[in-house]
């Protein structure tokens, strides 16, 4: 199968340089992909070409992650959404469909709520519903990615082990990709998780009027239970399960993930 090439570039935005990767015809409808924390655009490395056959697919590095500039402010869902809108402007994209996974899904909600004129359809993959109950529960949960640095590098193994139970067995390359991205994060590796934990989604979902697809990874214990909650607040949304899906869904099962997104977008036409 001939797939379009992935191109990487930087955009000069108000926060500094923001890195992104894109694939597909620049004249095609745009799809913006937003990653989980503390990952980067690489979470969508194999998804991009699959979407790029029909769309202009763009995966950005959230400020503070990947190769994007460190944030000049504390991690914030609202500010990250503002930067995403700024990137669309810089690329002369008037309107884009938005796909977000985990933290990226929360950013997608805010982007759709605050910049409705820029957002077509929304795909929320493994996205939590961050209401008051969620915020209280998160305050009691210990950090998963923050580890104490050791002179012998033992903290690298600890990062791996902390996530291992939420990743499929026999796929060490997925954990390696996580560790590499985690090491590149600017400042606090838990910043993305804290931003999610403080976001008042219950105040924002009513402003999301775009078509919504909820992708559920049944074996993701952090996010799978939230799909039904989100559906209650987004009555026109539908849920699609990707069997076997776990926390690293986009790079774990890129074909199934891309197919779910494409089927949804094509169904809107």
């Amino acid at each position: 199968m001939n797939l379009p090439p992935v191109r990487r570039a930087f955009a000069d935005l108000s926060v500094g340089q923001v890195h992104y990767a894109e694939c597909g015809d620049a004249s095609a409808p745009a799809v913006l992909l937003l990653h989980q924390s503390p990952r980067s655009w690489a979470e969508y490395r194999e998804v991009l070409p699959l979407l790029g056959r029909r769309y202009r697919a763009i995966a950005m590095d959230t400020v503070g992650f990947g190769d994007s500039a460190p944030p000049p402010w504390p991690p914030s869902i609202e500010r990250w959404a503002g930067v995403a809108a700024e990137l669309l402007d810089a690329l002369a994209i008037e309107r884009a469909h938005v796909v977000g996974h985990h933290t990226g899904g929360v950013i997608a909600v805010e982007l759709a709520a605050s910049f409705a004129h820029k957002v077509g359809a929304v795909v929320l993959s493994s996205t939590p519903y961050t209401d008051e109950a969620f915020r209280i529960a998160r305050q009691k949960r210990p950090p998963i990615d923050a580890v104490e640095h050791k002179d012998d590098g033992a903290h690298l193994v600890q990062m791996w082990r902390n996530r291992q139970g939420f990743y499929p067995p026999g796929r060490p390359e997925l954990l390696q990709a996580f560790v590499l991205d985690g090491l590149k994060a600017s400042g606090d590796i838990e910043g993305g998780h804290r931003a999610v934990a403080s976001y008042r989604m219950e105040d924002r979902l009513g402003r999301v009027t775009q078509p919504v697809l909820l992708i559920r990874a049944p074996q993701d214990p952090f996010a799978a239970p939230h799909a039904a909650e989100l559906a209650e607040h987004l009555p026109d949304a539908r849920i699609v399960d990707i069997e076997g899906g776990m926390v690293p869904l986009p790079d774990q099962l890129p074909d199934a993930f891309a197919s779910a997104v494409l089927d949804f977008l094509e169904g809107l036409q």
Side-chain angles (χ1 to χ4, degrees):
M1 182 185 301
N2 292 324
L3 295 175
V6 174
R7 304 173 295 277
R8 299 173 62 183
F10 289 88
D12 292 312
L13 306 182
S14 63
V15 293
Q17 287 201 313
V18 169
H19 175 259
Y20 65 95
E22 71 170 302
C23 189
D25 190 332
S27 64
V31 178
L32 178 66
L33 300 113
L34 306 170
H35 60 81
Q36 68 172 304
S37 300
R39 292 300 313 277
S40 72
W41 78 274
E43 180 166 68
Y44 296 109
R45 187 187 300 274
E46 294 186 54
V47 172
L48 276 174
L50 299 173
L51 299 183
R53 288 182 294 169
R54 303 184 196 177
Y55 294 91
R56 181 184 182 184
I58 301 160
M60 67 180 291
D61 283 346
T62 302
V63 171
F65 298 94
D67 290 319
S68 285
W73 20 254
S76 162
I77 297 299
E78 293 84 355
R79 289 185 181 271
W80 281 330
V83 173
E86 203 177 330
L87 176 64
L88 293 177
D89 288 340
L91 299 179
I93 296 173
E94 295 184 0
R95 191 173 175 87
H97 304 303
V98 180
V99 178
H101 182 61
H102 271 271
T103 305
V106 181
I107 298 171
V109 167
E110 180 60 27
L111 186 61
S114 291
F115 302 92
H117 62 290
K118 294 181 179 294
V119 177
V122 180
V123 178
L124 303 178
S125 169
S126 298
T127 300
Y129 175 57
T130 65
D131 62 354
E132 184 64 17
F134 177 90
R135 290 188 288 274
I136 292 173
R138 274 298 177 97
Q139 289 175 1
K140 301 176 182 178
R141 182 183 297 170
I144 187 172
D145 295 326
V147 294
E148 182 181 354
H149 285 211
K150 303 291 186 180
D151 289 343
D152 63 357
H155 59 289
L156 303 179
V157 176
Q158 191 60 52
M159 288 177 66
W160 184 292
R161 288 177 175 169
N162 286 355
R163 286 245 175 177
Q164 192 167 15
F166 310 114
Y167 278 56
R171 298 288 303 276
E173 78 281 4
L174 298 177
L175 280 161
Q176 178 171 290
F178 153 70
V179 172
L180 289 172
D181 277 342
L183 293 174
K184 292 184 74 172
S186 303
D188 184 1
I189 194 173
E190 292 285 340
H193 300 150
R194 278 203 305 277
V196 168
S198 63
Y199 181 64
R200 297 186 59 86
M201 188 181 288
E202 69 269 36
D203 297 337
R204 307 299 290 160
L205 279 180
R207 299 172 63 97
V208 177
T209 59
Q210 299 89 341
V212 177
L213 172 69
L214 304 173
I215 295 180
R216 179 166 53 193
Q219 296 181 42
D220 180 341
F222 299 107
H226 291 281
E229 289 181 290
L230 283 170
E232 290 180 6
H233 296 273
L234 297 165
D236 294 329
R238 63 187 181 93
I239 300 174
V240 169
D241 286 341
I242 296 183
E243 293 304 323
M246 301 180 76
V247 168
L249 180 61
D251 48 355
Q252 176 199 357
L253 298 168
D255 292 294
F257 186 89
S259 291
V261 174
L262 289 170
D263 289 347
F264 170 62
L265 296 181
E266 296 300 310
L268 299 176
Q269 298 180 6

